[in-house]
Structure formats: C-alpha cells, structure tokens
C-alpha cells in the first residue's frame, strides 16, 4: 500500500488489517516512519501493551487521530523528523529525544459490554 510506505500528512485514514496484536505491532514498528498509530479497544491491558511496544512517537488509544494538544511538541520518531536543525533550548533537546505521547479516551459504559466494537466511534 503506497500510502503506508511513504510519509504523508492527512487527513488520511490508512487501515492495515492484521490477524494478531503481535503482527500489528510488528507492522507498525517495521515502518521506517514513526509518526503515529492508533488502537480502539475496551481492554486496558491491550492498550497498555500497545503503548509499551509501539515505537511510533504519537499513539492514540480510543481516539482516531493521535495528534497531541498544542502544549505538546512534535513527537514523530525514526525517519519522521521535521527539518535538519533543532528547535530552541529545552524544546530542541525534547525534539531530538524519542518521546511518546499517548492520548486515551475511556468511557465507563464501554467497560460494561463484552462484545467487541469494531466501528469507528463518533460523538454520541
């Protein structure tokens, strides 16, 4: 899939189907760009495993676009780096340090169901 092999900036929804969580994490981590990835789950343990094992700089848990709020600096990893020079002072150090920003949304009513919801969530 060409849009997964090149770094593009959206809005773009790129869905790659996998059989297992391990396969999904392997696909994410093998990509030379480390911009972002997202997971939708009702399991805190699954979300934590995703957060811990994915090497992308921006991860979303139960949010469709893992873009951090403005108070967070850019957090792409690997070949997903913007520019050739650093930013100013402390931000420059943070820019060239591999950070991981995790944005999560947990609703109490979601924890009560036992059926998997594979649809993209919308505002209710």
């Amino acid at each position: 899939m060409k849009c997964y092999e090149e770094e593009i900036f959206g809005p773009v929804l790129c869905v790659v189907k996998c059989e297992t969580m391990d396969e999904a994490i392997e696909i994410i981590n093998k990509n030379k760009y480390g911009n972002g990835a997202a997971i939708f789950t009702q399991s805190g343990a699954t979300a934590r495993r995703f957060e811990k094992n994915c090497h992308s700089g921006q991860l979303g848990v139960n949010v469709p676009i893992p873009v951090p709020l403005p108070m967070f600096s850019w957090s792409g990893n690997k070949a997903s780096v913007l520019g050739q020079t650093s930013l100013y002072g402390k931000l420059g150090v943070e820019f060239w340090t591999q950070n991981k920003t995790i944005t999560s949304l947990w609703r109490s009513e979601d924890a009560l169901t036992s059926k998997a919801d594979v649809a993209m969530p919308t505002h209710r």
Side-chain angles (χ1 to χ4, degrees), residues 103-115:
T103 308
S104 299
L105 173 64
W106 295 98
R107 293 191 176 111
S108 59
E109 63 269 18
D110 292 339
L112 300 176
T113 63
S114 59
K115 182 179 162 189

Side-chain angles (χ1 to χ4, degrees), residues 3 6 9 12 33 44 88 97 102 122:
C3 71
E6 297 177 5
F9 294 92
V12 174
Y33 301 107
Y88 314 113
T97 302
I102 298 168
T122 58

Side-chain angles (χ1 to χ4, degrees), residues 2 4 26 44 47 51 53 57 61 71 76 84-85 108 113 117-118:
K2 189 171 183 169
Y4 193 74
E26 182 180 348
E51 294 168 0
N53 294 310
V61 177
M71 69 279 283
Q84 296 180 3
T85 60
S108 59
T113 63
D117 183 6
V118 295

Side-chain angles (χ1 to χ4, degrees), residues 16-93:
V16 180
K17 294 184 179 185
C18 302
E19 295 294 322
T20 66
M21 176 83 152
D22 289 334
E23 180 186 359
I25 291 171
E26 182 180 348
I27 289 171
I28 292 167
N29 291 341
K30 277 187 172 181
N31 191 292
K32 69 178 181 176
Y33 301 107
N35 192 6
I39 187 173
F40 294 90
T41 182
Q42 293 176 315
S43 167
T46 299
R48 190 69 178 136
R49 183 170 165 216
F50 179 80
E51 294 168 0
K52 183 178 180 184
N53 294 310
C54 286
H55 299 159
S56 294
Q58 300 176 93
L59 297 177
V61 177
N62 297 332
V63 293
I65 303 171
V67 176
L69 297 172
M71 69 279 283
F72 297 115
S73 63
W74 174 261
S75 57
N77 289 346
K78 301 195 235 176
S80 184
V81 176
L82 182 62
Q84 296 180 3
T85 60
S86 63
L87 302 173
Y88 314 113
K90 184 177 179 183
L91 285 178
V93 173

